[in-house]
């Protein structure tokens, strides 16, 4: 199954709409959402077309195909309107024969990985709003899709896909700008 991976939506209806368009275009079965779904947070400016109600509508239409972790800007009140769970700090998930450790990145990440992260495992996190791809000396991968709505350091509005062990970083228009093939 093809997976769509995204983070840091921050309540922008325009960019969540573009993410939904990308999801349809990609034909992905599941969205792995890495937190910061509705609130823009105290350190970010209001994103373009900030409309949390519209974001909730767009996401809830596909709730059964969303696996989400809680970000540092997500609150308990958000769970009252979202039909998918927003309560997990991390989720262990297996796809394409690999362990994926889904987290937002403010608790676990390259700076503080889970103790049992091993060679070939993949830690997927957002939080920084900057795409990333690197391997630890122990052989674990640390991947970040960047931000859907508030990218930083000149990075594009972006998401990732995973299919058959290949991660692709893409702009919201679908242009590939980075690739990692874990089969090599």
């Amino acid at each position: 199954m093809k997976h769509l991976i995204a983070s840091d939506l921050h309540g922008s209806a325009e960019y969540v709409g573009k993410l939904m368009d990308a999801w349809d275009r990609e034909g992905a079965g599941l969205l792995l959402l890495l937190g910061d779904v509705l609130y823009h947070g105290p350190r970010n400016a209001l994103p373009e077309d900030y409309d949390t109600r519209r974001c909730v509508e767009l996401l809830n239409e596909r709730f059964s195909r969303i696996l989400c972790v809680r970000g540092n800007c997500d609150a308990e009140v958000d769970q009252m309107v979202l039909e998918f769970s927003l309560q997990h700090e991390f989720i262990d998930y297996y796809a394409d024969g690999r362990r994926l450790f889904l987290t937002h990145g403010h608790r676990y990440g390259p700076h503080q990985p889970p103790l049992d992260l091993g060679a070939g495992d993949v830690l997927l996190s957002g939080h920084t709003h900057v795409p990333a791809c690197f391997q630890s000396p122990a052989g674990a991968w640390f991947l970040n899709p960047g931000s859907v709505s508030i990218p930083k350091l000149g990075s594009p509005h972006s998401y990732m896909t995973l299919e058959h062990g290949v991660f692709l970083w893409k702009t919201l228009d679908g242009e590939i700008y980075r690739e990692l093939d874990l089969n090599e």
Side-chain angles (χ1 to χ4, degrees), residues 11 14 25 27-28 49 86-87 91 98 100 125 137 152 157 183:
E14 177 179 346
R25 185 177 59 246
D49 193 21
L86 186 66
Q87 299 303 311
I91 296 173
R98 293 210 179 260
L100 306 179
S125 66
K152 295 186 178 175
H157 297 268
N183 301 309

Side-chain angles (χ1 to χ4, degrees), residues 96-119:
D96 295 347
R98 293 210 179 260
R99 177 188 181 202
L100 306 179
F101 186 89
L102 313 178
T103 190
H104 180 62
H106 63 294
R107 296 206 193 283
Y108 298 105
H111 60 283
Q112 187 175 352
L115 294 177
D116 65 340
L117 199 64

Side-chain angles (χ1 to χ4, degrees), residues 122-162:
V122 177
L123 185 143
L124 290 170
S125 66
H127 186 57
T128 64
H129 298 222
V130 179
C133 174
F134 62 92
Q135 194 171 25
S136 74
W141 287 96
F142 294 90
L143 310 181
N144 186 321
S147 174
V148 169
S149 67
I150 309 174
K152 295 186 178 175
L153 298 180
S155 61
H157 297 268
S158 61
Y159 65 94
M160 292 168 48
T161 60
L162 167 62

Side-chain angles (χ1 to χ4, degrees), residues 36-178:
D36 283 0
V37 178
L38 299 178
Y39 179 54
H40 60 86
R43 293 179 298 181
N44 298 312
L46 278 173
E48 197 168 330
D49 193 21
Y50 185 65
D51 184 347
T52 57
R53 287 183 188 169
R54 181 67 183 133
C55 290
V56 167
E57 291 170 7
L58 291 168
L59 292 166
N60 279 347
E61 289 173 0
R62 303 169 189 233
F63 78 94
S64 66
R65 299 187 301 140
I66 297 175
L67 189 59
C68 185
V69 294
R70 185 178 186 155
N72 61 305
C73 292
D74 296 320
E76 287 182 31
V77 70
D78 299 343
Q79 187 63 81
M80 295 173 66
V81 295
L82 293 170
E83 295 182 30
F84 53 89
S85 177
L86 186 66
Q87 299 303 311
H88 305 286
E89 290 286 330
F90 67 88
I91 296 173
D92 263 323
Y93 180 73
Y94 292 82
D96 295 347
R98 293 210 179 260
R99 177 188 181 202
L100 306 179
F101 186 89
L102 313 178
T103 190
H104 180 62
H106 63 294
R107 296 206 193 283
Y108 298 105
H111 60 283
Q112 187 175 352
L115 294 177
D116 65 340
L117 199 64
D121 290 344
V122 177
L123 185 143
L124 290 170
S125 66
H127 186 57
T128 64
H129 298 222
V130 179
C133 174
F134 62 92
Q135 194 171 25
S136 74
W141 287 96
F142 294 90
L143 310 181
N144 186 321
S147 174
V148 169
S149 67
I150 309 174
K152 295 186 178 175
L153 298 180
S155 61
H157 297 268
S158 61
Y159 65 94
M160 292 168 48
T161 60
L162 167 62
E163 187 174 33
H164 306 299
V166 178
F167 288 92
L168 299 175
W169 283 255
K170 297 183 177 187
T171 67
L172 285 178
D173 293 328
E175 179 184 331
I176 298 169
Y177 65 92
R178 180 179 270 170

